[in-house]
Amino acid sequence: MAQFAQINGKTLHFAHRAGAGGRAIVFSNSLGTDMRIWDDVIAQLPPDIPVLTSDKSGHGLSEPGAQSIADHADDLIALMDHLGLSQALICGVSVGGMIAQDLAARRPDLAAGLVLCNTAYQIGDAAFWGARIAALDADGLGALAGPVIARWFGETFRTNEPVRTAGFRTMLAHTPQAGYRAVCEAIRDANLKKATATISCPTLCVAGSSDLTTPPDSVIALANVIPGATYTCLDDVGHLPCIEAPTALAALVKKAYDQLGA
């Protein structure tokens, strides 16, 4: 059942599985996707674990309005407060990992632990995002879908899973263009290194060996900034392990969850 809440002056779409109570796992999405990217991961987690997924502002069924990484983190913070969730394991991929970093730095009471997938404290540079925004304005999101998909998924996945690849390309193309553009600008303007260095909760940083957007070196750099963080790399996986390698990622998430204890 679709669930909606008024958060920071806009309607956000989310799904909250209460489970048996206790510590929740909170997932945060990448650019150009909605919360369905976590379905195959969640399906492999025990059903008694509470889970929260949501569409960030300007994506999926959520209204636009957020303009910065801090704005998106504020939305997730407010949604967790609305649902009475705290001391969660927060798992974010790509920009969702940036949102998780900002949340954990500012509201450590909400984050008992982090799984940061295919992300960095700074993704790309102003020139990269400027070119992406210019192409978006000139040609529309549909025209960008092919090149973006090539960055999302490794060659093995694209070759072996052409139907699923096409489906996720449609998800990307159907993202509201204004929402996509706003998140591109938010990523362009964000360097979280200083704030991320203050994170004190247990953190696992996950890379994909075939990721062209946040290659392993950038994820290693992220892990080196966070005190005590650990690092692992999934072989032959691109930018979205929640889609390409859900079994492996679910196992990592479950291990991180269990290590936090009750």
Side-chain angles (χ1 to χ4, degrees):
M1 181 180 68
Q3 297 168 279
F4 297 91
Q6 278 291 113
I7 300 293
N8 296 330
K10 52 191 171 293
T11 300
L12 296 186
H13 176 227
F14 69 96
H16 177 220
R17 183 181 79 185
R23 190 186 312 281
I25 302 176
V26 176
F27 293 96
S28 185
N29 305 341
S30 57
L31 171 65
T33 67
D34 62 40
M35 61 189 185
R36 289 174 290 183
I37 65 171
W38 299 106
D39 285 354
D40 290 344
V41 174
I42 294 168
Q44 297 180 68
L45 297 174
D48 59 325
I49 296 178
V51 170
L52 173 64
T53 56
S54 60
D55 293 340
K56 64 182 167 292
S57 174
H59 285 60
L61 302 183
S62 290
E63 289 184 335
Q67 298 297 317
S68 65
I69 297 300
D71 288 345
H72 288 285
D74 285 341
D75 286 346
L76 188 53
I77 287 168
L79 181 59
M80 291 180 68
D81 285 342
H82 172 74
L83 295 170
L85 302 179
S86 63
Q87 290 298 299
L89 174 65
I90 301 180
C91 178
V93 63
S94 190
V95 68
M98 298 184 84
I99 293 166
Q101 292 170 58
D102 189 74
L103 179 152
R106 292 195 286 124
R107 285 290 303 272
D109 59 304
L110 298 184
L114 296 173
V115 178
L116 301 177
C117 304
N118 304 74
T119 190
Y121 55 76
Q122 182 178 25
I123 298 177
D125 57 22
F128 174 87
W129 291 107
R132 174 73 63 88
I133 292 166
L136 178 69
D137 291 344
D139 302 319
L141 188 50
L144 291 181
V148 171
I149 286 293
R151 298 181 71 86
W152 274 10
F153 300 130
E155 184 177 356
T156 299
F157 182 86
R158 286 183 278 120
T159 300
N160 294 340
E161 299 282 357
V163 175
R164 296 191 73 213
T165 298
F168 287 108
R169 177 174 177 159
T170 299
M171 175 187 283
L172 170 63
H174 286 183
T175 300
Q177 185 160 316
Y180 186 93
R181 191 184 198 282
V183 174
C184 288
E185 292 177 333
I187 300 171
R188 178 197 65 195
D189 297 339
N191 185 332
L192 305 178
K193 185 175 183 179
K194 183 176 180 179
T196 296
T198 69
I199 291 172
S200 58
C201 62
T203 300
L204 171 64
C205 297
V206 181
S209 67
S210 300
D211 186 355
L212 300 178
T213 300
T214 50
D217 284 352
S218 66
V219 183
I220 291 170
L222 172 65
N224 287 339
V225 164
I226 302 171
T230 56
Y231 165 83
T232 191
C233 184
L234 300 175
D235 189 44
D236 200 24
V237 171
H239 191 56
L240 297 179
C242 46
I243 295 171
E244 286 190 71
T247 300
L249 184 57
L252 292 172
V253 170
K254 180 61 164 55
K255 182 179 179 180
Y257 183 86
D258 290 344
Q259 288 175 339
L260 294 177

